[in-house]
Amino acid sequence: MKYKNILITGSAGFIGFHLSKYLLENYKDINIIGIDNLNNYYNPILKEKRNNILKNYENYNFVKLDFSKWDDLENNLKNKLKNMKLDEIDKLGIILDADDKGIEYRIKQVNSIFKELEINIIFDCHNELKKDDTLDIEIFCHILNIDGYGELEDILKTIKTTNSIFADCLSSWKKCLEENGKHIKEKDFIKFWINNYIRFDTCNKEEQKQISKKCNFEKAMQKDIWDFEHQVLDSLKEFLRLFSEVK
């Protein structure tokens, strides 16, 4: 069996980081190629910290790349994979946000890159595994979404379990902006909603005294404020099960 090379996008994010760390700790015959843009959506210091933890593993390699920019995705990812020699890659997994582009558009992007790289795989839908027999490579692709669009934050908003008075009241603030000729993108609004849910709806007064340490995204993922059994996570769980089959 070939030495397994697995590419994980968003490797400094919550899902990507924990998936990378799990694979590195449990499977010694793999290389992880982590891709992240290390943006400042939430605490970039936290992202750097996660990335540095992964860099401590000899079989982890990091590439800073913004998948939201088509030219970066097409050129940098293509060049990276060419330098790696695709015939030496055993398994490759990709997680992307659907965003406002939608699942179909993201699949077309991935298929376009594969065509450029002469990978004989065409995805018909997300969350499927396909194999290029010529290169002897299996590829997994999952696109985070709610009803075909959105991203991780939309999923988190859907699976929240605690009362969200502070966050929900932001709808009135958003309406006030619109009535005064100002607008905020829905994507940015959902991120702001999640931030307020974490900082004010789910943190007590004592925790708020150390809000940057006690009420951050990482700490929130450790609290019982999400329904991780929610059906919207079923497809993501299926994708992760594909990785558990790596031997």
Side-chain angles (χ1 to χ4, degrees):
M1 181 180 293
K2 293 184 296 183
Y3 207 81
K4 300 177 181 65
N5 292 274
I6 300 175
L7 183 148
I8 298 178
T9 61
S11 58
F14 179 76
I15 293 176
F17 167 72
H18 286 285
L19 174 58
S20 299
K21 191 169 183 289
Y22 173 81
L23 292 173
L24 290 166
E25 289 180 347
N26 291 277
Y27 301 96
K28 304 304 180 183
D29 61 339
I30 65 171
N31 281 321
I32 297 292
I33 300 93
I35 290 181
D36 204 290
N37 61 4
L38 299 177
N39 64 19
N40 62 353
Y41 153 53
Y42 64 85
N43 198 345
I45 296 177
L46 176 58
K47 290 187 174 183
E48 291 284 0
K49 180 179 178 181
R50 289 174 180 159
N51 198 41
N52 287 335
I53 290 173
L54 295 177
K55 284 181 177 179
N56 288 326
Y57 295 88
E58 292 184 359
N59 47 340
Y60 175 78
N61 297 284
F62 176 69
V63 179
K64 187 175 182 179
L65 174 63
D66 189 349
F67 266 74
S68 67
K69 298 177 181 178
W70 170 248
D71 288 340
D72 282 351
L73 183 151
E74 183 178 30
N75 296 323
N76 293 335
L77 179 58
K78 180 172 64 178
N79 291 335
K80 179 64 179 178
L81 291 176
K82 279 184 176 180
N83 292 334
M84 288 169 49
K85 298 181 181 180
L86 290 175
D87 58 354
E88 296 181 2
I89 298 176
D90 187 65
K91 294 181 184 289
L92 185 152
I94 300 174
I95 298 179
L96 297 172
D97 289 327
D99 288 322
D100 58 351
K101 299 293 186 180
I103 292 176
E104 184 177 348
Y105 182 84
R106 291 301 187 207
I107 290 174
K108 287 181 179 179
Q109 283 187 312
V110 173
N111 286 338
S112 177
I113 292 173
F114 289 169
K115 183 177 180 180
E116 287 289 322
L117 296 174
E118 298 183 346
I119 299 175
N120 296 316
I121 288 178
I122 298 176
F123 285 118
D124 302 308
C125 59
H126 83 119
N127 220 48
E128 63 179 339
L129 181 153
K130 287 194 172 183
K131 183 175 182 179
D132 182 331
D133 291 323
T134 301
L135 294 173
D136 193 21
I137 179 174
E138 291 182 308
I139 300 181
F140 317 73
C141 182
H142 180 77
I143 301 172
L144 296 168
N145 74 96
I146 295 288
D147 296 327
Y149 295 88
E151 55 187 324
L152 174 61
E153 287 72 26
D154 294 281
I155 293 176
L156 292 177
K157 188 172 186 291
T158 300
I159 68 172
K160 66 94 179 174
T161 59
T162 302
N163 289 333
S164 51
I165 297 174
F166 282 92
D168 290 338
C169 283
L170 291 173
S171 295
S172 297
W173 167 77
K174 183 171 181 284
K175 182 179 179 181
C176 178
L177 288 178
E178 294 169 350
E179 290 174 347
N180 287 275
K182 303 294 183 180
H183 299 276
I184 181 172
K185 293 180 180 178
E186 186 63 23
K187 178 176 180 178
D188 293 330
F189 177 74
I190 295 297
K191 290 180 177 180
F192 193 33
W193 190 100
I194 292 295
N195 186 57
N196 277 265
Y197 176 67
I198 290 173
R199 288 184 168 231
F200 301 108
D201 287 307
T202 65
C203 274
N204 58 42
K205 291 183 178 179
E206 285 300 314
E207 290 174 323
Q208 289 177 5
K209 291 178 181 178
Q210 301 181 65
I211 199 166
S212 62
K213 293 182 178 181
K214 302 292 186 179
C215 304
N216 58 40
F217 190 84
E218 189 80 7
K219 291 294 183 182
M221 290 297 105
Q222 300 170 17
K223 295 181 178 181
D224 187 22
I225 59 175
W226 317 99
D227 178 12
F228 289 115
E229 300 303 317
H230 198 289
Q231 63 182 8
V232 301
L233 296 174
D234 288 347
S235 63
L236 176 60
K237 290 178 180 178
E238 178 58 30
F239 173 81
L240 296 177
R241 275 194 288 271
L242 294 174
F243 277 97
S244 70
E245 297 172 0
V246 176
K247 298 179 180 178

